[in-house]
Amino acid sequence: MHNGLRKHHIVAIVAALQLANPTAARAPLERANTLEPFEAVREQDLRLSMIMRRLITGNAAICRNQMPFTGLILHAQSQYDRHFAASLAKAGYFPAPVAVELVLSDSPAATAGLKVGDGIVAINDIALPLDGSAKRSSMDRDKAERLLLMQSADGPINITIQRNGETAPRVVSLQPQRTCRARWEVTFDKADLGLSDGEIVQLSAHFLDDQTDDFVAVIAAHELAHVVLGHRQKLESLNVKYTALSAYGRSGKLIRAAEDEADRLSVHLLANAGYNPELAVQFWEGPGKRYSGGILRSPTHASASARATAIRREIEGLAPWSGNNTKAHAP
């Protein structure tokens, strides 16, 4: 288990303001000699994916930006160390440069018969726009995921795959589900909680190791709220600066307002997904204190106690939670 670490003041501010890294590689697998670490990574990816699926599905009715959800979790050879990527290919995980890492149960992809290890060749007859660079990055995976997002949520989506043991590609047709538009991934850096850049939600593997699924959902809902509200785009349109010093000026105040708004919306996102929104209060009154920075807290974020108080106030406006609420809440 990894404990949340308190950082030096400037480091804490920079971590709070930094953009989600679109070229994150799979660092824990760099020197792996077996596939066991890869299976551990897949378990974390599956865990976060199930939580995010619940959030984006339960909140589809209040999301202006929607996407065709397939239940496919993709990865690319370029995300891994060259030697480890070769081992994965030998084990059947990469018949093509981009392949299926996971197929979520009871999803459109599962219904269509897609499998782990299927190589993705084209989507609706559009060949994947591979980067072709030797540099390790998630760019190939990102391009494939974005191509999927560009397809109609009303479907169908025809995916050309290369399956292990088959000489010719085949086309699989699936009917996607309309959900909130978002991408997500587990990161393996030293970030304690999560980040979002307006498109992708990133949660730290260290945080997932430390916390229960319910508390992971609290932070996932907060980061999803940033995506749903378009905070990154709005802040950039206001010329907000993401530097340590700017945290104390106009930019810092605008970022703080966005963080507070995301906390409020997260209450509704949790409730709509069938989570007890009181979990957010419990998190910030409990383990969340470790992540708020204490006296080293960035001014762009409220203290843990202040966040718990504001969230409790937002909850008071909701109907009593029963665990099977069906009405979509929006602030």
Side-chain angles (χ1 to χ4, degrees), residues 99 107 122 153 164 168 237-238 247 253 273 301:
S107 68
N164 285 295
S237 72
L238 293 170
K253 292 178 180 178
H301 292 70

Side-chain angles (χ1 to χ4, degrees), residues 89-101:
K90 185 177 180 180
Y93 284 104
F94 282 112
V98 176
V100 177
E101 179 193 358

Side-chain angles (χ1 to χ4, degrees), residues 12-232:
I13 293 172
V14 172
L17 300 181
Q18 66 185 357
L19 292 171
N21 179 6
T23 58
R26 296 273 165 123
L29 304 177
E30 288 181 356
R31 292 172 295 277
N33 294 318
T34 71
L35 295 185
E36 288 183 12
F38 173 67
E39 295 303 327
V41 167
R42 290 182 71 232
E43 288 179 10
Q44 291 284 50
D45 286 342
L46 176 61
R47 187 177 168 208
L48 178 58
S49 294
M50 295 300 289
I51 292 168
M52 289 298 301
R53 176 190 186 177
R54 185 171 168 181
L55 288 168
I56 63 173
T57 301
N59 287 283
I62 67 169
C63 286
R64 182 179 295 107
N65 295 320
Q66 298 184 333
M67 72 173 186
F69 172 76
T70 64
L72 289 175
I73 308 301
L74 306 181
H75 63 160
Q77 280 183 301
S78 57
Q79 289 179 266
Y80 302 94
D81 169 82
R82 179 168 57 89
H83 298 291
F84 192 76
S87 297
L88 290 175
K90 185 177 180 180
Y93 284 104
F94 282 112
V98 176
V100 177
E101 179 193 358
L102 296 166
V103 178
L104 301 187
S105 61
D106 300 319
S107 68
T111 300
L114 286 160
K115 300 179 180 180
V116 171
D118 283 342
I120 307 298
V121 177
I123 297 171
N124 278 343
D125 295 325
I126 302 175
L128 295 194
L130 301 177
D131 179 54
S133 171
K135 183 178 180 180
R136 286 183 63 193
S137 78
S138 62
M139 191 171 296
D140 284 345
R141 181 211 60 185
D142 293 343
K143 288 181 177 181
E145 290 183 345
R146 288 174 183 139
L147 183 56
L148 268 177
L149 291 183
M150 289 170 56
Q151 309 311 308
S152 170
D154 296 324
I157 299 177
N158 296 317
I159 301 179
T160 304
I161 65 168
Q162 181 63 59
R163 179 160 289 174
N164 285 295
E166 297 182 359
T167 56
R170 66 162 73 182
V171 177
V172 177
S173 182
L174 61 81
Q175 185 62 42
Q177 181 180 6
R178 187 180 291 273
T179 67
C180 294
R181 184 185 181 95
R183 298 169 54 224
W184 57 88
E185 69 178 355
V186 178
T187 61
F188 296 88
D189 55 20
K190 296 182 180 179
D192 287 335
L193 287 173
L195 299 166
S196 63
D197 67 350
E199 177 189 19
I200 188 166
V201 169
Q202 294 183 330
L203 264 65
S204 164
H206 303 290
F207 177 68
L208 267 71
D209 283 344
D210 266 357
Q211 302 302 331
T212 64
D213 283 0
D214 282 345
F215 284 161
V216 170
V218 169
I219 300 305
H222 173 89
E223 299 302 336
L224 178 60
H226 283 306
V227 176
V228 171
L229 292 166
H231 278 157
R232 176 62 63 176

Side-chain angles (χ1 to χ4, degrees), residues 226-273:
H226 283 306
V227 176
V228 171
L229 292 166
H231 278 157
R232 176 62 63 176
Q233 295 82 355
K234 291 177 182 177
L235 292 174
E236 288 181 350
S237 72
L238 293 170
N239 200 31
V240 165
K241 306 297 182 183
Y242 294 91
T243 65
L245 293 179
S246 65
Y248 294 92
R250 169 182 174 274
S251 291
K253 292 178 180 178
L254 290 171
I255 294 170
R256 171 66 175 270
E259 292 296 333
D260 292 345
E261 186 179 30
D263 272 348
R264 294 195 300 273
L265 179 58
S266 72
V267 168
H268 302 268
L269 299 183
L270 287 168
N272 292 339

